[in-house]
Amino acid sequence: MRIRSAITTCFALFCINGTQNVYAWGAAGHEITATIAQMYLHPSVLPQICALVYPYTPPKEPCHLSTIATWADRIRGLPQYRWAAPFHYVGGINDWPPSSCVFGDDGWEGKDGVNVLGGIWNTTKWLKDGNPGASEAVKFLIHFLGDLHQPLHLTARDRGGNDDKVHFHRRITNLHSVWDSRLLSNAILDTNSNYSHPLPSRKVEDALKGAIYDPYIRSIVWEGLSQAWKDQVDEWYTCPSTSLTSSLASRDQVPLDRNTMTTETNVRRWDDDFVCPYHWAKPNSRLNCAITFPKELDWPANSTDPHPAPELDTSVYAGKIRKLRVMERLLAQGGIRTAAILNGLFATDDAQEGAFLSHPLF
């Protein structure tokens, strides 16, 4: 059985017009990623983060990482936060999927260092150094780590697919919206009804908050994280040692404000042994050539010809993504990496040093 009875509610939550939320990994995607992260946090971490975010007015309900994860999108329209908009995405010069995926080899679009890779490195260092403004820094960090796992946040083509018109379920929309919400909505609706029942894990169930996507999260945890990807999880958050970057502790501090940028040109300059957004993002960026951009959208960068909007709610496109569990794997990776970094930043002294996960769930 499938939970199709929730279709009206689900479309009200996720399937909004694609012209809204430009460059926004949908709220559900961020919340799911953060919920998975919460399951792997060291017991000392969530109370510290909640105390930072809610120092004077604790939430009426139990504090959840998922609520914190969407803050950076909720404030984007405010004048005082306009400087932060470019930190939600990154695009390589000469990147034009599906024919060419170039992730930083020829440089980056926009101001140097003002992108999601720089945003993750800057907020991580800001928190590690104990600077003022930790409340905003941790909210941005959690959100940016989610953005890193939406492939269309990793290409400059047509504003991350926002300008590429497509049909989904016979409705006109754009490619970015399909990946923000519509594929996710379908996956949530298609979740086996068996996952409406709790899993035998308090860590899992305590992180859930009665959302429509709870069964979907249970399926990712049970089928993916505890089975199919179990032996890969530790590799997901491990950063390769590299002589191209300095250690996090020794690099110069970068301001966490509208002037946050660097002048280095090395493509891996944001990676070190603790956090490595470039290393994590590059395989996700390749998805834009492998699967995200369908062949129907393969035209030259300078083309001015009219192009039809292909239907993507098909077995060839949406069905393939579902069969390969592309979306589920991205959400799981985002959750694992978020948890590992937060544990490394906030876990008490008796915990393991560096990035780590709190195991096991079962």
Side-chain angles (χ1 to χ4, degrees):
M1 293 181 63
R2 309 291 177 183
I3 51 176
R4 287 285 179 183
S5 60
I7 189 167
T8 301
T9 305
C10 189
F11 269 83
L13 285 171
F14 308 118
C15 295
I16 57 177
N17 187 286
T19 61
Q20 301 173 7
N21 290 335
V22 173
Y23 285 128
W25 195 189
H30 281 289
E31 291 176 2
I32 291 168
T33 298
T35 300
I36 293 171
Q38 185 171 327
M39 298 172 186
Y40 287 89
L41 292 180
H42 184 272
S44 66
V45 172
L46 185 61
Q48 293 183 68
I49 293 175
C50 293
L52 273 177
V53 175
Y54 306 108
Y56 307 114
T57 56
K60 296 179 181 179
E61 299 178 355
C63 178
H64 285 272
L65 212 61
S66 60
T67 305
I68 298 169
T70 58
W71 172 85
D73 274 341
R74 296 197 303 270
I75 53 87
R76 288 185 67 176
L78 300 178
Q80 63 267 39
Y81 288 107
R82 287 175 184 164
W83 59 269
F87 287 98
H88 291 254
Y89 53 88
V90 66
I93 294 173
N94 295 323
D95 183 57
W96 191 261
S99 59
S100 175
C101 279
V102 183
F103 196 60
D105 294 21
D106 298 331
W108 305 102
E109 297 281 355
K111 293 182 179 179
D112 187 32
V114 183
N115 56 52
V116 70
L117 307 178
I120 290 171
W121 188 86
N122 286 325
T123 50
T124 300
K125 179 161 173 54
W126 197 265
L127 291 164
K128 200 170 184 69
D129 287 352
N131 290 311
S135 174
E136 289 195 354
V138 73
K139 289 185 284 189
F140 275 124
L141 174 60
I142 293 168
H143 186 91
F144 293 158
L145 284 165
D147 283 336
L148 197 72
H149 295 83
Q150 212 280 42
L152 288 168
H153 281 243
L154 307 177
T155 179
R157 175 182 167 169
D158 295 334
R159 298 188 310 126
N162 273 288
D163 294 336
D164 292 310
K165 298 301 179 184
V166 299
H167 285 88
F168 199 86
H169 199 58
R170 298 181 298 278
R171 297 185 181 187
I172 191 70
T173 181
N174 63 69
L175 186 63
H176 198 102
S177 179
V178 166
W179 278 79
D180 260 2
S181 58
R182 296 170 191 267
L183 289 170
L184 191 54
S185 175
N186 275 6
I188 291 168
L189 294 174
D190 286 338
T191 302
N192 193 300
S193 61
N194 289 337
Y195 289 110
S196 297
H197 304 290
L199 292 179
S201 169
R202 183 171 179 178
K203 284 185 177 181
V204 172
E205 296 304 318
D206 284 353
L208 303 176
K209 58 179 186 179
I212 192 173
Y213 48 69
D214 282 2
Y216 180 59
I217 294 177
R218 291 188 183 106
S219 74
I220 294 174
V221 170
W222 185 255
E223 297 176 16
L225 289 168
S226 67
Q227 296 183 57
W229 312 317
K230 182 179 180 180
D231 295 334
Q232 304 171 33
V233 169
D234 287 344
E235 297 177 3
W236 285 354
Y237 68 87
T238 302
C239 292
S241 297
T242 172
S243 60
L244 297 178
T245 56
S246 304
S247 68
L248 186 64
S250 65
R251 292 184 57 177
D252 292 336
Q253 181 62 60
V254 183
L256 183 69
D257 59 23
R258 70 189 66 204
N259 298 313
T260 304
M261 63 183 71
T262 60
T263 57
E264 301 171 75
T265 57
N266 181 7
V267 73
R268 293 179 177 271
R269 68 177 184 264
W270 299 289
D271 287 7
D272 52 49
D273 292 341
F274 182 74
V275 62
C276 46
Y278 176 85
H279 173 72
W280 295 336
K282 188 163 186 177
N284 297 343
S285 74
R286 294 194 190 109
L287 289 173
N288 289 321
C289 279
I291 198 168
T292 309
F293 280 84
K295 59 180 175 47
E296 292 88 348
L297 298 181
D298 189 7
W299 56 71
N302 58 356
S303 174
T304 58
D305 297 333
H307 302 283
E311 172 62 53
L312 298 185
D313 191 11
T314 64
S315 59
V316 174
Y317 187 81
K320 180 181 179 180
I321 292 167
R322 184 70 173 136
K323 182 179 180 180
L324 296 176
R325 305 213 73 184
V326 175
M327 187 75 68
E328 291 76 17
R329 184 183 175 90
L330 289 168
L331 294 167
Q333 288 177 324
I336 291 297
R337 289 162 178 162
T338 300
I341 295 306
L342 294 178
N343 283 339
L345 289 170
F346 292 101
T348 51
D349 293 340
D350 61 334
Q352 178 179 334
E353 292 186 3
F356 71 95
L357 299 180
S358 182
H359 283 300
L361 294 184
F362 299 98

